[in-house]
Amino acid sequence: MNINPQCCVVATLLLSAAVPGGARARSLPTGPVSAFEGRVSIGAEVIATIGEEDETAFFNYTDYEHNTLRMFRVGLSAEWRALERVNLVAEVRSEDLDAVRPYAAYVRVRPWRSVAFDVQAGRIPPTFGSFGRRTYAFDNPLIGYPLAHQYLTSLRPDAIPNTVDDLLFMRGRGWQVTYPAGSPEPAPGLPILSAFRWDTGVQAHWRGKRLEATGAITNGTLSDPQVGDNNSGKQFAGRIAAHPVAGLVIGGSASHGEWLDRSVTALVPQSPGTFVQRALGADFEYSRDYWIVRTEVVWSRWTLPFAATGTYDDLDALAMWIEGRYRITPRIFLAARADTLGFSKIADSSGRLVDWDAEVARFEVDAGYYVQRNLMLRLAVQHNDRDGGRVLTKTFVSGQVAYWF
Amino acid sequence: MVLARRWAFGVGRWARGTDLYNKVAILIGLIALSAMLRFDGSSSAANGTIRGRVELRPPPQDLVRRPNPGDVGMPAAHGPTDRRRSVVYLDPAPRAAFDFREEPRARMDQKDEAFVPHVLAIVAGTLVDFPNNDETYHNVFSLSKPKPFDLGRYAAGSSKAVRFDRPGIVRVFCDIHAHMSAFILVFSHRYFAVTDTEGRYRLDNVPPGTYNVVAWNEGTGEDTRKAVVPEAGGDVELNFALGRSPATPSRQ
């Protein structure tokens, strides 16, 4: 196993600061840092994940081309309560000591004091589904991410196939996709919903006693969140969630937005006008005693043009996962997730119906140990099966140290 | 001394079935035992009071919520966390302090996403109730060595209890709400007090003697000072200043 040296150094430092349990453990902050009489609060998260390299199967690569099972991530978040009902919220992240990227940067306004209605503008948290807002180590019970949020399909916003055969040639190769039309550089494909970038726009949220609703207009789409607008089209997304009893959340989401870059739509001779990503989702969470169970289903449809023929087709993907966590003792927990990602069929040049991308299934089991309230060790075994690409099946073992305050 | 009391209790039961001569003999024995207890220094006849004030420099701020950019709306305001409370206790305590006959019970509420009280001081063996008075789930737990526990998630109106048998400091959290935390200080004796909002404390019924008095606060650490309770009893005033101050060295 080839180990990422950055992760080893960070893991060793964190553990040496905390494991003795005495005075040294107290040297790590346990809560957020605050200033200006509590008006500014600052939190941080440091995650070092140690696992084997995966430069043949690319099962866990993200749209920033990092392996989630072999990553060193630092995040810094801050909230400034500028006025009684106006907050500024920001988060920056760096993965594998790459460039620091703004993950969140928005202003939150509560217009009426007595109504739980908020408007947020800027780089805002995802509206669709539930997992996208809880990608933090303390909220994600496993090291890995659900396939829908991380696995790269063979679609690119800035390059398109000439024919269906070009598309099918890229089945199971989402980590490095090339197409003859558009950008000639190989680049990662798109996930169904990106968990590593947040979109830019305006979001409104209302919360009642048993019901909450969120709506947003943003520049990008679920699979390709943007800071600027790359196609003059906006995405509309909404979610309604019910909390009938404590511990139970049932949510439904929908979104509609243009996903292709304008540099590509200009190449299509008989453009239908818009190429959209539509998505529907349902999420469910129930927790009680020492259990949490969550499940989510996401269906997505992209309208994809073919440059040579000028035709276009609807490509569907369906992702489903169920995850659970059980705390065995105050310090030890077990978690597991079963995950599938499937694709609709399309006819190739010989008329044979083929899935437009390779189906993937994943099962992951984690065991976690809390060294202290905000310092956690995890060990994961993740098995992947894929119906195409260079590698059809692969099992990964990874370990993680996560610390936050 | 506990053994002596148990002996006396047993003798008392036995005496119900004996004649007058033996009862007189036992009575004399009990008087002698009572004299021993007085000699032991645990009699309340000349006991004193140690009282004073714990000043915190700087005064601690309320706990703030960790910024969570993933919140799609403004999070609900949580109740205040009273971090001004300190605990003052004798270390070590007089021997008589270790004799409890009652089964103590205490309570730490979960209300408005805060533990109330934020600091609880109890004797070892106390059963502490953790009622959930919010409309959301809470999950009270602790990883502290004296009493690691996890009550799991339970809804409004429910309550679970934990018995704290070992002395020490137990830090309590909620697994769902990261800004919720509290301290339970478990003592093997009863000579302790939690300060009021002004920092005032009072330790009553302290037998004459010289004691180490410790003042503890979660934010500023602790300080130990000597107090002498005279044979005649009476009040002894002892003030503390915890935190960053050159005039009052702290063990922090």
Side-chain angles (χ1 to χ4, degrees):
Chain A
M1 184 190 290
N2 192 353
I3 301 298
N4 185 339
Q6 293 162 356
C7 293
C8 282
V9 171
V10 174
T12 308
L13 286 175
L14 285 174
L15 285 174
S16 63
V19 166
R24 293 182 71 185
R26 287 191 289 271
S27 65
L28 288 173
T30 55
V33 176
S34 66
F36 303 108
E37 297 178 332
R39 299 187 81 82
V40 174
S41 58
I42 297 168
E45 183 187 56
V46 181
I47 301 172
T49 310
I50 301 164
E52 58 190 299
E53 284 184 349
D54 175 23
E55 292 179 348
T56 50
F58 298 93
F59 276 113
N60 285 280
Y61 270 60
T62 72
D63 44 359
Y64 282 136
E65 300 183 67
H66 297 285
N67 185 346
T68 58
L69 298 188
R70 185 182 156 78
M71 183 191 283
F72 171 56
R73 189 175 92 192
V74 180
L76 199 63
S77 55
E79 185 170 341
W80 175 31
R81 282 170 279 281
L83 296 168
E84 189 193 349
R85 285 174 284 139
V86 179
N87 292 359
L88 296 170
V89 183
E91 180 174 357
V92 291
R93 282 186 181 183
S94 173
E95 292 172 356
D96 293 335
L97 299 180
D98 266 4
V100 175
R101 294 186 174 92
Y103 190 65
Y106 59 87
V107 59
R108 178 192 288 145
V109 179
R110 173 163 287 192
W112 299 284
R113 191 190 305 267
S114 57
V115 183
F117 175 77
D118 300 284
V119 177
Q120 304 185 137
R123 201 154 200 193
I124 51 177
T127 301
F128 191 98
S130 71
F131 182 84
R133 293 182 297 280
R134 52 177 186 84
T135 59
Y136 303 92
F138 56 84
D139 228 4
N140 179 7
L142 295 104
I143 296 177
Y145 282 58
L147 289 166
H149 288 269
Q150 169 265 312
Y151 188 79
L152 304 174
T153 69
S154 55
L155 295 180
R156 278 181 61 177
D158 57 348
I160 53 171
N162 271 337
T163 63
V164 171
D165 289 352
D166 290 340
L167 173 71
L168 296 179
F169 185 70
M170 287 291 140
R171 287 179 85 245
R173 296 176 61 176
W175 67 91
Q176 201 74 287
V177 181
T178 53
Y179 286 121
S183 171
E185 298 296 323
L190 296 176
I192 296 183
L193 312 89
S194 177
F196 299 90
R197 288 181 286 157
W198 284 4
D199 216 340
T200 311
V202 180
Q203 185 176 51
H205 173 79
W206 168 83
R207 188 181 176 104
K209 196 171 181 185
R210 297 271 176 256
L211 205 65
E212 63 180 307
T214 313
I217 303 172
T218 55
N219 284 337
T221 56
L222 296 185
S223 56
D224 191 24
Q226 297 283 336
V227 176
D229 194 349
N230 64 342
N231 53 21
S232 305
K234 299 295 177 195
Q235 174 180 259
F236 299 88
R239 179 172 186 263
I240 293 176
H243 309 255
V245 293
L248 176 63
V249 184
I250 302 167
S253 309
S255 80
H256 183 283
E258 289 188 41
W259 70 283
L260 272 183
D261 191 276
R262 60 169 68 90
S263 64
V264 173
T265 50
L267 300 172
V268 185
Q270 294 168 332
S271 166
T274 56
F275 297 98
V276 296
Q277 179 189 7
R278 303 177 190 88
L280 294 172
D283 55 273
F284 170 92
E285 174 181 319
Y286 185 64
S287 59
R288 188 185 171 126
D289 297 330
Y290 305 100
W291 285 96
I292 305 176
V293 178
R294 296 177 177 126
T295 183
E296 207 159 343
V297 180
V298 178
W299 169 85
S300 175
R301 168 172 289 175
W302 294 268
T303 305
L304 176 73
F306 296 96
T309 59
T311 57
Y312 56 93
D313 220 323
D314 286 335
L315 306 180
D316 294 354
L318 182 68
M320 290 186 283
W321 72 95
I322 180 166
E323 65 184 28
R325 188 196 73 175
Y326 180 72
R327 280 178 83 141
I328 300 170
T329 72
R331 288 188 189 273
I332 298 170
F333 67 87
L334 287 178
R337 181 187 293 132
D339 204 347
T340 67
L341 175 58
F343 302 93
S344 60
K345 294 192 184 300
I346 190 168
D348 66 8
S349 54
S350 66
R352 188 171 58 103
L353 285 175
V354 184
D355 293 348
W356 66 267
D357 203 339
E359 283 187 8
V360 198
R362 173 180 287 172
F363 185 70
E364 182 175 328
V365 180
D366 286 31
Y369 179 83
Y370 284 98
V371 178
Q372 62 183 59
R373 192 244 189 286
N374 55 341
L375 177 60
M376 176 175 62
L377 307 178
R378 285 198 281 210
L379 185 69
V381 179
Q382 184 196 84
H383 180 75
N384 296 269
D385 284 310
R386 183 165 55 198
D387 185 26
R390 282 189 220 164
V391 180
L392 299 184
T393 183
K394 187 143 178 127
T395 300
F396 301 96
V397 178
S398 56
Q400 185 180 74
V401 182
Y403 166 70
W404 63 91
F405 65 82
Chain B
M1 196 182 67
V2 175
L3 285 174
R5 278 181 177 271
R6 282 182 182 166
W7 172 82
F9 184 66
V11 168
R13 287 201 300 186
W14 171 78
R16 285 181 218 121
T18 57
D19 60 17
L20 182 63
Y21 177 79
N22 282 336
K23 279 181 179 170
V24 170
I26 289 163
L27 188 62
I28 293 168
L30 289 175
I31 291 168
L33 180 65
S34 169
M36 281 170 62
L37 291 176
R38 179 180 292 268
F39 180 74
D40 182 47
S42 56
S43 161
S44 61
N47 286 352
T49 295
I50 301 173
R51 62 179 176 79
R53 192 163 176 266
V54 180
E55 187 187 346
L56 302 175
R57 296 175 182 169
Q61 290 183 350
D62 197 0
L63 290 176
V64 297
R65 192 188 291 269
R66 184 181 187 276
N68 183 8
D71 285 337
V72 286
M74 212 168 268
H78 61 83
T81 308
D82 194 356
R83 300 174 76 203
R84 294 167 298 176
R85 309 270 182 178
S86 303
V87 178
V88 181
Y89 58 94
L90 302 187
D91 182 27
R95 288 167 58 194
F98 300 93
D99 178 28
F100 326 117
R101 272 160 291 180
E102 74 277 25
E103 187 171 271
R105 196 152 188 153
R107 177 186 174 105
M108 180 174 270
D109 276 284
Q110 301 152 74
K111 185 153 181 57
D112 298 330
E113 295 186 13
F115 287 110
V116 183
H118 176 63
V119 175
L120 181 66
I122 55 173
V123 291
T126 300
L127 192 67
V128 178
D129 293 304
F130 292 93
N132 180 357
N133 292 315
D134 276 332
E135 292 198 354
T136 61
Y137 265 155
H138 287 300
N139 186 154
V140 187
F141 78 100
S142 175
L143 302 177
S144 299
K145 264 189 178 173
K147 186 66 183 181
F149 68 92
D150 183 355
L151 298 183
R153 296 177 174 222
Y154 56 100
S158 308
S159 183
K160 293 190 178 183
V162 179
R163 188 180 302 281
F164 293 85
D165 290 317
R166 287 176 58 191
I169 298 177
V170 179
R171 190 133 193 223
V172 179
F173 297 103
C174 174
D175 186 44
I176 302 168
H177 305 99
H179 51 276
M180 288 177 68
S181 75
F183 288 86
I184 298 177
L185 279 76
V186 188
F187 293 95
S188 56
H189 59 79
R190 58 191 174 199
Y191 287 102
F192 58 82
V194 179
T195 61
D196 63 14
T197 53
E198 302 297 318
R200 288 184 296 257
Y201 73 93
R202 186 182 175 95
L203 297 171
D204 287 323
N205 282 322
V206 182
T210 302
Y211 300 101
N212 290 326
V213 184
V214 183
W216 172 94
N217 181 275
E218 64 171 286
T220 54
E222 62 184 41
D223 188 18
T224 304
R225 304 188 68 183
K226 288 249 186 267
V228 179
V229 177
E231 285 295 326
D235 282 10
V236 178
E237 185 164 342
L238 190 64
N239 296 320
F240 293 85
L242 298 181
R244 292 190 300 272
S245 169
T248 53
S250 165
R251 274 208 261 157
Q252 192 178 204

